[in-house]
Amino acid sequence: METISGINNEAKAILEYIANDLSWRKLFFSKFSTWQKFSFFLPAPFICLPIYGTYSLLFKESSYFLFIIFAIIGIISIWTFAKQKTIIEKKVFEKYYLSESCKNILEFYLEKFSSFLGEQNTAENRALWIKYFKKKSNSLESWIIPLAFGFSPIGFGLSEQFIEPLKNYELYFMWAYISFMFLLVAFAFILPSIIDIKFKYGEAFKLISELEKRMTKELLLQAP
């Protein structure tokens, strides 16, 4: 890692490295076989079935059976997505990255990250970075999801006070909100395989904190 002056420039270099060189798309998804990519995306359409089930319940047949069945299928699809992502990811790791020094995915990430930091990977710098990235990770990217969930009761309260005369407005809001949440889950799985996207501040804080723990542990073991 080249010499950089100032915590902001150092942080920028770290964030760029995490976004580009430690991206899941580059390190894992690009190594998937054609069949693995197909099976990886297969559950995606089923995640969105509860959207139609909700729409049908609120505006058409009022069928609770269809709503419940599609909701169950959606939940199973989310579980399948997460499960097979872990399985395929493990196969790629064992094929391309497994070594004596990297026996799991976290160790692989830490080795690459530590190599990037080079001589700047000191206790003093890690302390500064941990403080900086902890503060940043508590900003917008750490409360996006709670904000999305919290929007529901706020939206219902506003609809009751200001748009109550408009029939079905709350039903439309409920359907739109549930649709948004299921689409959010789908995109959470799909987007990292298409573009290099992640919560970089949180990822930087996690990696540097883990480096600090391991370096501290090594020093304690070496102590007489």
Side-chain angles (χ1 to χ4, degrees):
M1 179 178 179
E2 62 186 69
T3 303
I4 309 171
S5 60
I7 184 68
N8 288 331
N9 288 334
E10 293 172 357
K12 183 179 178 182
I14 289 171
L15 293 175
E16 287 179 354
Y17 180 77
I18 289 174
N20 299 323
D21 295 83
L22 294 186
S23 71
W24 187 80
R25 181 179 67 88
K26 179 178 181 179
L27 294 178
F28 288 94
F29 185 75
S30 63
K31 308 290 186 183
F32 284 14
S33 66
T34 302
W35 168 249
Q36 286 174 331
K37 288 179 180 178
F38 173 76
S39 62
F40 176 77
F41 286 116
L42 189 60
F46 298 98
I47 290 179
C48 299
L49 281 179
I51 296 173
Y52 178 77
T54 305
Y55 170 76
S56 177
L57 174 65
L58 297 177
F59 303 111
K60 295 181 71 178
E61 299 91 349
S62 298
S63 172
Y64 280 96
F65 175 77
L66 191 65
F67 172 75
I68 293 171
I69 291 298
F70 280 180
I72 292 173
I73 293 174
I75 293 170
I76 292 174
S77 299
I78 293 170
W79 179 85
T80 304
F81 223 143
K83 187 70 175 179
Q84 74 169 359
K85 176 179 180 291
T86 302
I87 293 172
I88 300 175
E89 196 177 74
K90 184 179 178 181
K91 288 181 179 179
V92 169
F93 172 77
E94 291 175 347
K95 183 177 181 180
Y96 293 99
Y97 305 123
L98 182 65
S99 66
E100 285 297 320
S101 59
C102 297
K103 292 184 170 57
N104 57 56
I105 294 174
L106 178 59
E107 288 180 354
F108 168 67
Y109 273 108
L110 289 176
E111 184 177 86
K112 287 184 67 68
F113 188 57
S114 180
S115 177
F116 165 73
L117 294 176
E119 294 180 356
Q120 292 198 40
N121 186 16
T122 64
E124 293 79 9
N125 283 341
R126 288 195 302 272
L128 289 173
W129 294 334
I130 287 173
K131 183 178 179 180
Y132 177 85
F133 286 119
K134 182 178 182 180
K135 181 179 178 181
K136 289 291 186 179
S137 64
N138 289 331
S139 61
L140 178 63
E141 67 180 31
S142 65
W143 48 267
I144 287 178
I145 302 302
L147 178 64
F149 279 101
F151 179 65
S152 181
I154 294 173
F156 278 117
L158 290 175
S159 65
E160 287 182 0
Q161 288 190 22
F162 300 109
I163 54 180
E164 186 177 2
L166 300 177
K167 293 182 178 180
N168 287 334
Y169 234 84
E170 289 188 358
L171 296 181
Y172 280 115
F173 176 82
M174 183 185 296
W175 176 69
Y177 180 75
I178 293 173
S179 300
F180 168 73
M181 294 312 302
F182 275 99
L183 289 174
L184 189 66
V185 172
F187 280 125
F189 286 105
I190 295 171
L191 282 182
S193 61
I194 301 173
I195 58 176
D196 296 328
I197 182 172
K198 62 172 63 182
F199 292 153
K200 294 181 290 183
Y201 289 115
E203 190 71 14
F205 175 71
K206 173 186 172 184
L207 288 172
I208 296 170
S209 297
E210 192 62 36
L211 272 179
E212 178 64 22
K213 289 178 185 177
R214 298 198 174 203
M215 297 294 287
T216 302
K217 185 177 180 180
E218 288 179 10
L219 289 174
L220 290 174
L221 291 173
Q222 293 172 5

